[in-house]
Amino acid sequence: MLQVSEELCIGCGLCEESCPFAAIAVVDGLAVVGDTCTLCGACVESCTPGALTIVLAEKSGATRLTDWSGVWVYAEFRKGELAPVSLELLGIGRQLADTRGVPLAALLIGAETGDAARQLIGHGADTVYLVEDPALALFREEPYAAVATAAIRRFRPEIVLAGATAIGRSFIPGVATLLDAGLTADCTALAIRAEDGALLQTRPAFGGNIMATIVCEESRPQMATVRPKVMKALVFDAQRQGEVVVLDTTAGQLASRVQVLESVVGQAAEVNIQEADILVSGGRGLESAEGFALLRRLAEVLGAKVSASRAVVDAGWIPYPHQVGQTGKTVAPKLYIACGISGAIQHVAGMQTAETIVAINRDPNATIFSVADYGIVGDLSEVIPKLIDKIEELRQR
Amino acid sequence: MKICVCIKQVPDAKEVRLDPVTNTLAREGVQSIMNPFDEHALEEAVRLRESVGGEVVAVSMGPPQAEAMLREAISCGADRAVLVSDRAFAGADTWATAYTLEHALRRIGDFDLILCGKQAIDGDTAQVGPGLATRFAIPYVACVQKIRHADATGLVVERMMDDGYDVVAVDYPVLLTVVKDINEPRVPSLKGKMKAKKETILHLNAADIGAEPAAIGLAGSPTRVVKVFPPEARGGRAMLSGTVDEQVAQLAERLRRYL
Amino acid sequence: MDYFLTEQQQMIVDIARQLTDEKIIPHRAELDEQHQFPREILKQMAQADLFGVPIPEAYGGFGGGCLDIALTVEQFGRGCIGVGTAFAANFLGVYPIIIAGSEAMKEKYLPDVATGKKFGAFGLTEANAGSDASGIQTTAVLDGDHWVLNGTKQWITNGGEAQIYAVVAITDRSRGPRGASILVVEEGDPGFSCGPKEKKMGIRASSTTELIFKDCRIPADRLVGRQGTGFITVMKTLDLSRPGIGALGVGLAQGALDEAARYAKQRQQFGKPIIAFQAVQHMLADMAIGVESARALVYAAARHIDAHPKEMSKVSAMCKAYATDVAMKVATDAVQVMGGYGYMCEYPVEKMMRDAKILQIYEGTNQIQRNVIGQELNKEYS
């Protein structure tokens, strides 16, 4: 718990300022901790007099950390294809493994994986642990979690990374639970702490309003998921050498109480805004579903896909798969045109890695302008039609 | 059928802004709300009870103030509610939260179905639901967008995937996490509000649920926050100037390489 | 302002407010544009128990009075009076049953109304009987144990959507006003049909049709109350329902004020938000005075009616006429504050202005309301 030293506290209120959760307040010259405290430690850092400490209960049975070594990436394979995020993870995984001076391995689970192992090696893996069985063709939580857990227990990697995809987010938490391991979701940066080699996992928290760096100090493996398009894959190198280790499965591992009746590829693929090079994105400033129609015309002219802020999705103008941001998708298109989006931090968290950002907003003080490369202050109903005309004109020239 | 819905009280992210001057959170008037995904889980639980019968119990781990949210859950159709609350739970990560909820649920009763929102909007981890099911050693299906069929023995559901959806069948007991597309939550009913006002909310603390002190709260969390800091602004802004026509012309020129 | 509502009334307001914000406002533009009846929203209202508010407790309702229903429809009116009208007109069709229906009739219909399973409409107006209801041509003739209806009702709200229609028909032409009766016609009765939906200036989410009776045969027990008491029941029904129309006006005016004030804070001209200009401030201030005074009168009138059900005509007429005149004025001013934007369909105030007009016309034009008030004054000072 968070302890306040009555002797040291001078009631200066620095802690109050620093707390992201409004959980500490100065009452009668003394800091008082409220029930919403999450023990994040922001106040401890801010407290110049050093009056705040986080007191921990004794831990029992800590893992022997030195028994665990190596970096693993879960390679997601579905319907004959590797998920691009797996290759991106090999990119960051390579850096982490090299810093630690340990090998990088990929854990490939699926059926008829073809040359996927080759691709993983070409993108940076030293070893591919392959678990292949027809029973793993369709994704089911239980067998995937069972085979992954068994492999991790056997080879004891210190770090396990997975893509924050539908599949990764579904079974990786189960694996972490079975291993009693710490798991950090949606990391945007991963690094090795110099003094003890621990994995520094940085992720947005509280709707992206603060960034938090997280470590697992006393347990292994250290597990993290990363969203697609956050990390960069290495260029494929056909000459790279690596080893493929085939792992056996047991009937028990492959058993599942969940039965997949049908796998439908649909709508979601058509609106995969993460794959788009250009996104035209609409926010509350569009005022109405009609305003959205204007946006679609701009997207058509640009050959872009349409995305939206959460407010617009909540208003029902466009379905959820189009949502960009902390609770939607993270996108990194070449061009992102934000129309009538105020730039709430949770939205910005989902699009700030776009190559070029254009913001069009009526409010000159909208925070979106602070992340934009180009900004136009004006009314969408005036600016967008003019922009459409101008682009068509440029095209014809 | 006995249905448990796990719900969490979260700050309303829509109202949270960074103060551009001090770069701290402008939290004036930020209200606590029921996690939006959990509203959909609760709605689905109530609909299931309406179609196949049974009981819906809403369970939340959180500070004493979360009781108000549990009353809201009752006004929206939950039969009763349990608040799992203890200062010792503070600082729990997803592992310690799943541990705590597991012990609480074991104490409350046997459930055929546990429903959770896909994730909470303050942490966005989507880990507690799967973690909880794994602790119970029951199957789970994450990101359910539709329950196609429900009867006394099991469910057929659609699970959202990145490239579409899977149709899966599973028997009870099972845990589902749901996405927002699954339904449109109802507003509270007048009868529900009246019931919510009168209902006694069961409070359980760490001792009540038989939790090990070393496994709860910050002590029980494998992950530790070591640093918090404001996100970096991207910067590099170039406001275009002139009339709207001039600005549009400048912009279109600069975007030429994307055409 | 604090109107000292009871705990239950505050609950009703909270539920209706949430429903308006979450279920009505996001869909109102679409409903208006597509002339679409809000079936889904009415389902949500039923689920929230709001159809049970004015139904007596013995029939599964909450036994609420005029004020309770006014509080409910005020919120709906803030979102969309088209939706609010559909909800309110349901009770117009049900009040005659509550006021004058037999025990058996109440048991037959009211529980289903309270849960939203059945929906009502009120068939009074005809082509030649508007403000002057004595011009009614529709007839009902007793033939054995059945009534046979002939005639056409015009501009009936919820026509084609309701299952229960309280229809005013002449059962004895020789007795003048004492020859009118109310009968309940059900959806699907032989010889009963509804005309096509009318196209309207506003409240496009509500359904307005003709009710057509061609030798429509209904069982004798569908007569509401005694034969010949139709007009008295009509007057009581309208007296009870008018504060609801006033409340729709209060809601609409509040919604228009909200939009205009928010816009005025945000819109910059000459380097500052336009709310900083006195010309705009004064308009907003007058709008706010109108809204609050209309609300105060509607609530006071509704409370008076709940306490003194025998003397309600004058206060009922006063609050209807005043609150709906305010609604028209405030909606028009909201468009003015918002200037060109206000006139555009992207913003909701142009719809509010189109919608507001009907409030001054239906359930007795505001001129008729003033007649009622004038006649009462004439009596009081005699």
Side-chain angles (χ1 to χ4, degrees):
Chain A
M1 58 181 292
L2 180 62
Q3 269 186 358
V4 183
S5 158
E6 290 189 24
E7 279 116 65
L8 297 176
C9 179
I10 53 170
C12 66
L14 281 174
C15 52
E16 209 175 312
E17 296 279 306
S18 72
C19 178
F21 306 101
I24 190 164
V26 175
V27 181
D28 295 333
L30 189 70
V32 177
V33 188
D35 289 317
T36 50
C37 174
T38 68
L39 299 183
C40 75
C43 56
V44 179
E45 266 180 51
S46 77
C47 181
T48 344
L52 299 173
T53 38
I54 289 178
V55 187
L56 281 180
E58 273 302 302
K59 280 229 184 184
S60 58
T63 324
R64 267 184 47 201
L65 305 185
T66 47
D67 290 350
W68 300 72
S69 168
V71 177
W72 276 27
V73 166
Y74 161 61
E76 181 175 327
F77 186 86
R78 179 168 157 89
K79 295 179 183 165
E81 274 180 60
L82 273 174
V85 68
S86 305
L87 305 180
E88 293 159 21
L89 288 179
L90 286 174
I92 181 71
R94 188 72 260 168
Q95 283 179 32
L96 298 173
D98 291 347
T99 311
R100 290 285 295 143
V102 295
L104 171 66
L107 173 62
L108 177 59
I109 302 173
E112 296 176 41
T113 57
D115 73 339
R118 252 324 306 152
Q119 279 193 52
L120 293 167
I121 290 167
H123 278 97
D126 300 315
T127 309
V128 175
Y129 294 100
L130 173 62
V131 192
E132 212 171 12
D133 192 287
L136 298 167
L138 288 169
F139 169 68
R140 290 171 305 163
E141 281 87 355
E142 288 172 294
Y144 271 56
V147 298
T149 305
I152 292 168
R153 282 208 176 114
R154 181 169 158 200
F155 295 98
R156 303 188 162 214
E158 60 192 279
I159 293 171
V160 176
L161 307 178
T165 57
I167 290 177
R169 295 191 110 195
S170 179
F171 88 98
I172 292 293
V175 174
T177 306
L178 290 169
L179 294 166
D180 282 336
L183 168 62
T184 308
D186 295 351
C187 296
T188 52
L190 293 169
I192 299 294
R193 185 157 68 183
E195 59 261 38
D196 62 355
L199 180 66
L200 293 166
Q201 307 155 79
T202 300
R203 73 183 300 264
F206 201 45
N209 288 291
I210 52 172
M211 302 300 288
T213 301
I214 290 159
V215 295
C216 304
E217 274 161 337
E218 293 167 50
S219 67
R220 290 291 181 272
Q222 309 162 85
M223 298 179 68
T225 64
V226 178
R227 289 178 170 223
K229 300 241 171 189
V230 172
M231 301 297 175
K232 289 226 158 28
L234 300 171
V235 179
F236 180 75
D237 175 1
Q239 306 306 315
R240 273 199 95 249
Q241 295 300 306
E243 184 192 6
V244 178
V245 179
V246 177
L247 304 181
D248 291 333
T249 55
T250 65
Q253 286 169 355
L254 298 180
S256 173
R257 291 166 287 185
V258 174
Q259 193 191 346
V260 178
L261 304 178
E262 192 187 349
S263 186
V264 182
V265 177
Q267 253 197 339
E270 290 157 35
V271 297
N272 194 348
I273 54 173
Q274 288 175 314
E275 305 294 329
D277 282 336
I278 304 179
L279 280 174
V280 175
S281 203
R284 208 194 290 271
L286 288 167
E287 307 284 356
S288 66
E290 295 81 71
F292 224 85
L294 198 57
L295 200 77
R296 287 185 201 282
R297 272 184 47 218
L298 176 61
E300 233 167 79
V301 174
L302 282 165
K305 288 197 167 152
V306 173
S307 57
S309 74
R310 174 177 158 168
V312 164
V313 172
D314 285 350
W317 299 342
I318 191 165
Y320 174 73
H322 294 266
Q323 185 176 323
V324 169
Q326 189 63 24
T327 52
K329 293 207 164 97
T330 305
V331 296
K334 292 200 166 69
L335 175 61
Y336 188 90
I337 303 183
C339 304
I341 292 176
S342 62
I345 197 83
Q346 57 267 33
H347 182 81
V348 172
M351 45 62 84
Q352 58 192 351
T353 52
E355 190 179 289
T356 301
I357 297 174
V358 174
I360 305 170
N361 204 298
R362 193 189 310 151
D363 175 8
N365 299 317
T367 41
I368 190 77
F369 287 121
S370 63
V371 297
D373 297 289
Y374 308 113
I376 293 184
V377 178
D379 237 286
L380 296 171
S381 53
E382 188 187 356
V383 176
I384 296 180
K386 284 186 170 156
L387 187 58
I388 292 171
D389 291 348
K390 200 79 205 168
I391 289 165
E392 280 177 338
E393 190 190 311
L394 279 178
R395 275 256 165 79
Q396 276 154 20
R397 251 197 264 154
Chain B
M1 181 160 62
K2 287 196 76 173
I3 308 173
C4 172
V5 188
C6 299
I7 58 179
K8 183 179 186 186
Q9 193 177 41
V10 296
D12 190 350
K14 282 198 294 279
E15 296 177 21
V16 178
R17 293 279 141 80
L18 265 194
D19 184 328
V21 183
T22 61
N23 217 13
T24 55
L25 287 176
R27 52 177 183 249
E28 298 277 294
V30 173
Q31 292 193 338
S32 289
I33 56 167
M34 188 187 300
N35 175 41
F37 288 96
D38 301 347
E39 285 182 24
H40 295 262
L42 173 64
E43 174 67 28
E44 202 59 25
V46 173
R47 288 185 189 191
L48 277 172
R49 184 199 57 206
E50 285 167 355
S51 66
V52 298
E55 187 192 26
V56 174
V57 185
V59 178
S60 183
M61 170 180 149
Q65 301 91 295
E67 197 183 301
M69 175 199 66
L70 285 170
R71 289 195 187 281
E72 193 188 321
I74 292 173
S75 72
C76 289
D79 294 291
R80 59 194 178 97
V82 180
L83 178 63
V84 188
S85 187
D86 199 311
R87 283 295 273 272
F89 296 148
D93 72 355
T94 57
W95 190 96
T97 304
Y99 173 92
T100 308
L101 283 173
E102 180 216 352
H103 283 71
L105 263 54
R106 285 191 193 282
R107 163 73 208 277
I108 299 164
D110 280 333
F111 292 104
D112 301 301
L113 175 63
I114 303 171
L115 285 169
C116 304
K118 179 184 84 161
Q119 62 194 27
I121 59 164
D122 55 349
D124 288 323
T125 65
Q127 291 170 4
V128 172
L132 183 57
T134 307
R135 296 198 68 91
F136 268 109
I138 61 172
Y140 65 93
V141 186
C143 296
V144 171
Q145 61 177 16
K146 187 175 184 181
I147 296 186
R148 282 197 177 179
H149 176 77
D151 60 28
T153 55
L155 303 165
V156 176
V157 304
E158 289 179 13
R159 159 178 73 192
M160 191 188 269
M161 302 296 286
D162 293 324
D163 58 359
Y165 63 89
D166 287 352
V167 183
V168 308
V170 63
D171 285 347
Y172 308 122
V174 62
L175 181 146
L176 307 181
T177 77
V178 307
V179 296
K180 290 183 179 180
D181 300 77
I182 194 165
N183 57 40
E184 190 183 333
R186 69 193 67 188
V187 297
S189 70
L190 193 46
K191 283 185 195 133
K193 281 227 177 205
M194 289 170 173
K195 178 177 157 68
K197 203 188 113 215
K198 284 185 242 146
E199 195 74 15
T200 314
I201 308 256
L202 177 65
H203 285 237
L204 296 177
N205 62 24
D208 296 332
I209 63 173
E212 291 288 331
I216 55 173
L218 192 59
S221 300
T223 62
R224 277 273 311 278
V225 176
V226 291
K227 189 178 165 200
V228 287
F229 54 99
E232 266 172 53
R234 178 191 159 106
R237 112 188 207 168
M239 297 298 272
L240 303 171
S241 56
T243 65
V244 170
D245 287 296
E246 286 161 5
Q247 291 186 54
V248 166
Q250 290 169 45
L251 179 62
E253 262 321 310
R254 286 173 186 179
L255 299 185
R256 268 197 106 140
R257 63 197 154 118
Y258 298 112
L259 300 181
Chain C
M1 267 168 70
D2 187 350
Y3 288 98
F4 303 99
L5 302 180
T6 64
E7 194 173 18
Q8 183 176 324
Q9 284 164 344
Q10 194 55 54
M11 283 180 187
I12 292 173
V13 172
D14 290 344
I15 293 169
R17 176 182 292 126
Q18 189 179 344
L19 197 144
T20 301
D21 289 339
E22 292 176 10
K23 314 292 181 194
I24 299 180
I25 289 177
H27 302 290
R28 63 183 172 194
E30 189 190 340
L31 293 172
D32 176 64
E33 197 176 307
Q34 300 179 2
H35 295 246
Q36 199 185 337
F37 191 76
R39 280 189 207 105
E40 204 39 55
I41 296 173
L42 293 168
K43 227 183 267 173
Q44 302 266 8
M45 292 171 176
Q47 209 160 39
D49 298 329
L50 295 177
F51 279 105
V53 167
I55 305 295
E57 282 172 273
Y59 307 102
F62 294 89
C66 209
L67 178 58
D68 302 76
I69 203 71
L71 293 167
T72 315
V73 298
E74 177 190 343
Q75 290 303 322
F76 297 162
R78 187 171 55 80
C80 171
I81 66 159
V83 175
T85 295
F87 176 82
N90 156 63
F91 294 114
L92 213 45
V94 174
Y95 277 144
I97 299 172
I98 297 178
I99 294 167
S102 66
E103 190 57 31
M105 186 177 257
K106 288 179 183 173
E107 262 164 32
K108 180 177 178 193
Y109 294 114
L110 297 184
D112 281 350
V113 172
T115 53
K117 270 196 215 110
K118 292 224 166 104
F119 197 59
F122 188 47
L124 172 64
T125 305
E126 296 183 5
N128 298 311
S131 294
D132 177 8
S134 66
I136 287 175
Q137 305 286 316
T138 300
T139 57
V141 177
L142 197 57
D143 176 23
D145 53 0
H146 279 75
W147 289 98
V148 180
L149 277 79
N150 277 289
T152 301
K153 295 288 173 184
Q154 182 176 263
W155 303 333
I156 305 307
T157 305
N158 292 346
E161 298 290 344
Q163 290 75 43
I164 306 168
Y165 297 82
V167 176
V168 184
I170 302 299
T171 45
D172 185 350
R173 170 105 29 226
S174 66
R175 301 194 58 193
R178 291 185 182 276
S181 302
I182 299 181
L183 299 110
V184 176
V185 178
E186 294 181 17
E187 179 190 35
D189 278 338
F192 167 50
S193 62
C194 296
K197 258 171 95 164
E198 305 285 352
K199 294 219 176 342
K200 304 188 293 284
M201 174 185 186
I203 57 164
R204 292 172 174 173
S206 74
S207 167
T208 311
T209 70
E210 286 185 336
L211 308 182
I212 303 154
F213 305 99
K214 279 190 186 151
D215 293 327
C216 167
R217 287 179 73 82
I218 56 172
D221 63 4
R222 298 277 191 81
L223 180 70
V224 181
R226 279 181 298 116
Q227 196 180 326
T229 58
F231 270 129
I232 302 168
T233 308
V234 165
M235 290 308 144
K236 283 187 185 161
T237 295
L238 293 175
D239 283 346
L240 258 181
S241 70
R242 276 191 200 107
I245 303 304
L248 280 176
V250 173
L252 182 142
Q254 181 69 58
L257 172 61
D258 292 346
E259 292 293 334
R262 268 200 292 267
Y263 177 89
K265 274 187 81 76
Q266 185 207 340
R267 170 74 168 171
Q268 302 256 345
Q269 290 289 278
F270 307 105
K272 45 186 168 176
I274 63 168
I275 200 168
F277 297 104
Q278 203 174 47
V280 173
Q281 275 180 14
H282 284 188
M283 283 183 80
L284 291 171
D286 281 336
M287 290 159 76
I289 294 168
V291 172
E292 208 58 63
S293 58
R295 180 178 290 125
L297 180 57
V298 168
Y299 288 7
R303 281 194 165 115
H304 176 91
I305 290 167
D306 288 336
H308 309 282
K310 292 215 149 90
E311 29 181 298
M312 51 191 183
S313 292
K314 189 176 79 176
V315 290
S316 171
M318 280 177 158
C319 77
K320 191 270 178 182
Y322 182 69
T324 58
D325 284 348
V326 163
M328 190 71 243
K329 172 93 171 57
V330 170
T332 310
D333 288 347
V335 173
Q336 190 67 25
V337 167
M338 295 175 64
Y341 286 102
Y343 198 73
M344 297 296 141
C345 296
E346 280 127 85
Y347 288 85
V349 290
E350 65 81 28
K351 169 185 178 294
M352 291 175 177
M353 184 173 159
R354 281 187 285 113
D355 284 352
K357 193 67 210 169
I358 192 65
L359 294 168
Q360 296 177 302
I361 297 169
Y362 67 7
E363 296 221 20
T365 63
N366 285 4
Q367 288 66 36
I368 288 288
Q369 305 306 326
R370 289 176 169 87
N371 280 0
V372 170
I373 298 162
Q375 283 153 14
E376 291 290 326
L377 289 173
N378 193 17
K379 271 193 241 165
E380 280 170 31
Y381 288 92
S382 62

